[in-house]
Every structure is written in C-alpha cells, then in structure tokens.
Amino acid sequence: MAEQIRVALIGYGYAGRTIHAPLIGSVEGLELAVIGSRQPEDELRARLPGVRPVADPLKAATDPDVDLVVIATPNQSHAPLAEAALRAGKHVVIDKPFTVTLEEARRLAKLASETGCLLSVFQNRRWDSDFLTVAGAIRDGRLGEIAHVESRIDRFRPEVKDRWRESRQPGGGLWWDLGPHLADQALHLFGLPEHVTAHIALQRVGAKADDWFQIMLTYPKLHVILGAGMLASGGTQRFTLHGSRASLVKRDVDVQENQLRAGMVPRDLDWGIDLDAATLFDGATGETELVTAIDGDYCRFYDAVRDALTEGTANPVSPAEGVATMAILEAAQASAREGRSLPPPLLPEEVADFETGRANSLAVSAMTARDAAASAIF
C-alpha cells in the first residue's frame, strides 16, 4: 500500500458531494484522486482541483491508479460497481444500503473474502453524537438491564420530491434510506434479534414509496423499536431507553450533516459538537441528571478504514455486519407484507461471521469513545 491511499469516489450527487468528498479530504493518509461522475468536467475540476474526472463509473471503479473505491451512487448500482472494483483488486466502501437484496450482499461478502480486499459499509451514524452518548450510557451500566429502546429519526417534509430516493424502485423509500442506519445501530449495540415485526406505510399525498415505518426487534429480554416518518412537525425524541435502574432520553439528532450542508470543513472548530445533553431519570431517587453529549465525528469511519489498510486493524463495518443488516431490512419488508413476525433469514455461518465482525467493530467503537473522552479533557 502506498504512503497515500488513492481514492476514487463514484457518484457526486448529494452524498458524494456533501458527505464523502469533504470527509475523505479531511482524513490524513487519504487522497481523493478520481471522481466518477457524468457531471461536466469543468465543473468537477473547479470544485475538486487536482482530482481527475472519469465519466464512466465502471472505469472509475477499476482505475489502475487508485487503491480504494468509494461508491455513493443510487442504490441499485452498488452491487455491480462494487463487484467490478473487487475483481480489479480494489478495496471498497459502499454507502448504505450495502445492496438492494440480501443475495447481492452475500455475493459481495464472498467475493471480498476470495480477493482479500477490504469491503466496508459506510455506516457513519455509528459516529453520531446521539448514538455515541446512548452507547456510553449503556456501557457505564447506570441504566441497569435495558428493557426497552426507541430509536427514531422523524422529520417534517410533507412535499414528495421527484428523486430516486422517493421513487418506487428497488432500494427506494424511507425504510431503505434511514432503516439501514437504525438497524445497524441496533445490531451494533444489541446483536441479532430473535424476530422482526414491521409496519411500513405511505402517508403523504402523492407518495410513491414508503415514507413511514415502525419496526420492532425482539430479543429475549429487550424490545427495540425503530421508527421514522416525514410528517412529524416539531420532531420527536431521537432515543428513549428504559432500564431496570434508570431511563435516558436524548432529543436532538447529530449536527454533522447540517454542518456539512452549510459548508463546514470536517474537524474545524465546532465540528460535531453537540450541546443537547441527554437526560437520565434515576428510578430509585426520582432525580434527573443531564448527561453531556459525546461529540460526533464521521471522519473516524475513514480513519478506521485507513488504519485497517495500513496497519491491519479491524474493519470498522465488516461485510458480515452488512449482510446482517440486509437480513433485517428484508425480514421487515416480508413482515409488513405478510402481517407476522419473522426471524432474520441468516445461515448459522453468517450468524457466526456477524458475531466476529461485531466484536471487532465494538473494539473500534471503544477506541472512539476513549479518543472522544481524551478530546473532552484536553
């Protein structure tokens, strides 16, 4: 591996332009070398000086001068582009969702294993301030045994937009947009559930794809509810947790996406700082306590990818974890369609691979927590 990891970013729409390009450019050891996009070359060169535009996404995915391919294209193209990159010996990061079918995810995971290339899923919301704060509260044990969790991302966007994310196509709709984040966070914290029970609906006038969901993941002693909607004026709590000792509520969502949309450079002053403290309700005393939010930092995903490639450390989001998340997504769709609870459709060896990947990624998360605590002190 060269001293600088040369990156090809395929897709320069909202995700590529607003999220991936700024993050890659802010991580030491990564060099954005190629941009795969059909946008006019002069515009791309003006926005990204020194980056070589390539109009054909397959050529960008297999470019001989790059080491790592980041795929931020419409969901249906994830699998074929990733397959081409892996067969060309490239390491690959795929924006969520991993693929649009569980079988595609399985095929990519197998191919990554055969080629020896790193394959990771961009689950940046593991580095959200709200999620890091909740994970820290669970780790410190003050909530006791967790019995009930609600994890929601609600918005007020009553107008249906003419874009692929809101169209009736594979990978379209809100469940495939926000569901991968919420499901991944739940699996990361609690592991695989026994059953998935789902309600998925179209609520807005003119909606072509689902724009509301409520999914329940059932564990032996825990219920986790994942939800999102587009008609929540005033918003809702981002996280609510109830345990045998205390409850915890975190209202506001992480600020990083809004900061990126406003043009902030990652890791500048105020990057990821969350001033919305969580509230802990002590069950024994009835007292409340504000829990300082842990600042978020999406760059840590790319830090971990760089370290995995240069130092052999753990993949921050393994293909096995991506396969497990896809199993939850498909189980939820089937549950909503059939009106019954279903187990995640995973093979025993996939469960074992997931547990290994989860253990490794939890170690990456623990390092993030220690780094965040050190940053808070100094």
Side-chain angles (χ1 to χ4, degrees):
M1 182 67 63
E3 184 175 339
Q4 285 286 106
I5 298 170
R6 292 173 60 81
V7 181
L9 171 60
I10 306 180
Y12 200 61
Y14 174 77
R17 180 182 66 255
T18 307
I19 299 175
H20 289 278
L23 294 178
I24 293 166
S26 299
V27 171
E28 185 178 355
L30 299 185
E31 176 190 350
L32 184 56
V34 170
I35 184 75
S37 173
R38 294 190 177 95
Q39 296 181 28
E41 278 196 22
D42 55 347
E43 294 182 12
L44 293 171
R45 292 184 187 279
R47 285 179 174 269
L48 300 166
V51 177
R52 177 163 52 88
V54 176
D56 185 337
L58 279 173
K59 288 184 178 179
T62 58
D63 191 290
D65 293 331
V66 302
D67 310 296
L68 172 66
V69 174
V70 175
I71 299 172
T73 54
N75 297 343
Q76 290 187 80
S77 63
H78 287 185
L81 288 172
E83 182 173 350
L86 289 169
R87 291 192 184 281
K90 311 300 180 184
H91 305 290
V92 177
V93 167
I94 305 178
D95 202 341
K96 60 80 200 168
F98 189 16
T99 56
V100 294
T101 70
L102 177 57
E103 285 308 311
E104 284 182 340
R106 285 169 165 156
R107 187 166 65 247
L108 288 184
K110 183 174 184 291
L111 181 58
S113 178
E114 291 172 350
T115 61
C117 295
L118 180 138
L119 173 62
S120 193
V121 187
F122 183 66
Q123 288 291 1
N124 58 307
R125 288 191 179 274
R126 290 192 190 181
W127 289 269
D128 272 355
S129 58
D130 47 65
F131 178 71
L132 293 172
T133 302
V134 165
I138 293 173
R139 276 196 310 272
D140 71 20
R142 295 182 61 192
L143 302 182
E145 185 175 6
I146 309 299
H148 177 96
V149 175
E150 292 187 33
S151 172
R152 305 192 61 87
I153 301 179
D154 288 307
R155 299 160 171 166
F156 186 66
R157 297 179 181 175
E159 301 297 327
V160 177
K161 294 183 179 180
D162 184 16
R163 58 178 188 161
W164 66 264
R165 292 183 189 276
E166 298 185 44
S167 65
R168 192 188 303 274
Q169 61 173 281
L174 193 60
W175 175 232
W176 285 88
D177 185 19
L178 294 179
H181 284 310
L182 300 183
D184 173 77
Q185 289 180 338
L187 296 183
H188 188 62
L189 286 178
F190 306 114
L192 289 167
E194 294 181 336
H195 292 94
V196 180
T197 309
H199 299 278
I200 302 174
L202 286 70
Q203 291 189 333
R204 295 174 298 172
V205 175
K208 299 176 182 177
D210 62 270
D211 55 10
W212 176 92
F213 62 80
Q214 182 148 304
I215 316 295
M216 185 165 67
L217 308 181
T218 304
Y219 297 81
K221 295 183 179 181
L222 168 69
H223 291 85
V224 177
I225 297 171
L226 313 177
M230 303 293 261
L231 294 177
S233 180
T236 53
Q237 308 290 355
R238 174 65 183 90
F239 279 103
T240 303
L241 295 86
H242 301 301
S244 58
R245 296 179 182 173
S247 295
L248 185 81
V249 172
K250 177 74 172 71
R251 176 173 172 81
D252 291 346
V253 301
D254 181 271
V255 300
Q256 291 173 87
E257 186 169 351
N258 286 338
Q259 290 178 330
L260 288 166
R261 291 172 65 183
M264 180 180 285
V265 175
R267 289 179 167 165
D268 274 2
L269 188 66
D270 296 333
W271 170 251
I273 294 176
D274 186 351
L275 300 179
D276 174 57
T279 303
L280 185 142
F281 301 86
D282 189 288
T285 67
E287 296 179 352
T288 61
E289 176 185 338
L290 294 180
V291 178
T292 301
I294 298 174
D295 296 335
D297 187 0
Y298 293 162
C299 292
R300 293 192 183 277
F301 170 83
Y302 278 114
D303 285 342
V305 168
R306 175 203 61 209
D307 293 346
L309 294 179
T310 59
E311 301 175 16
T313 55
N315 185 340
V317 186
S318 68
E321 292 172 284
V323 168
T325 299
M326 292 301 304
I328 298 296
L329 293 175
E330 288 203 354
Q333 285 188 310
S335 169
R337 184 172 59 248
E338 299 173 17
R340 62 192 181 103
S341 300
L342 295 169
L346 290 170
L347 302 172
E349 57 268 30
E350 292 172 332
V351 173
D353 288 344
F354 164 77
E355 294 296 346
T356 299
R358 176 172 176 256
N360 290 334
S361 64
L362 284 170
V364 173
S365 298
M367 292 174 60
T368 295
R370 289 195 296 271
D371 290 346
S375 297
I377 293 172
F378 298 103

